[in-house]
Amino acid sequence: MNQQELEKIKQKALEEHIPIIMDDTLEVMQKYLKEMKPERILEIGAAVGYSAMCFTKFLAENGRIDTIEREEERVKEAKENIKKVGVEDKICIYEGDAVEILPILDKKYDAVFIDAAKGKYPFFLKESLRMIKPNGIIFADNILYKGYVLSDYNKHKQRTAVRNLREYIKEVSENPNLETEILEVGDGLAVSRIKK
């Protein structure tokens, strides 16, 4: 893996205000992934491919990451970035809307990383639960959404996103098959481990 290229990609994304995984969120996820050595990771929301490339370091031998991205420009950039970093044999990009792609995926994953449209998190959770292996982990980024989710925020613009993120937290907290922690790193990270 070309670490220098990865660093350049990160800097460019930050300069262009492209939402990529925050360092402290990545650090927390790395601890879990290191321990887990996943064979397959599903990522919902690739952006420019940065987080998927970071995750490749923790894959088991011959491990793969499937990532979904709907914006054409981002897909193009992600493909170029993945090539530059030299991990194209480990990452497969599905181009299109996750809402349409997820129901037709029939693979099993050790870990799922949800980082796409906030208003669709409950739907992403339902699909992730269908495909996650026993002992797998579902990570959901930006779960506290600038603090709005825990406050009495009710502005019209973000109302749906906030409501659906709250619904996601409620579902993962009350599901008897999940052990969930909500961590205040980055913009909030929900870590849900599947009980055996």
Side-chain angles (χ1 to χ4, degrees), residues 128-181:
S128 300
L129 288 169
R130 181 178 64 79
M131 294 186 280
I132 195 89
K133 290 180 186 173
N135 291 327
I137 298 180
I138 299 170
F139 299 96
D141 201 5
N142 309 114
I143 199 74
L144 299 177
Y145 199 38
K146 306 179 178 114
Y148 297 154
V149 172
L150 298 179
S151 69
D152 52 9
Y153 180 85
N154 206 12
K155 288 200 183 91
H156 184 69
K157 193 172 178 287
Q158 315 288 358
R159 195 182 296 155
T160 306
V162 171
R163 187 185 63 231
N164 287 341
L165 289 169
R166 285 178 182 151
E167 188 189 321
Y168 182 99
I169 291 172
K170 187 176 186 308
E171 284 185 30
V172 292
S173 304
E174 293 174 3
N175 186 322
N177 301 318
L178 299 176
E179 226 167 76
T180 297
E181 278 182 283

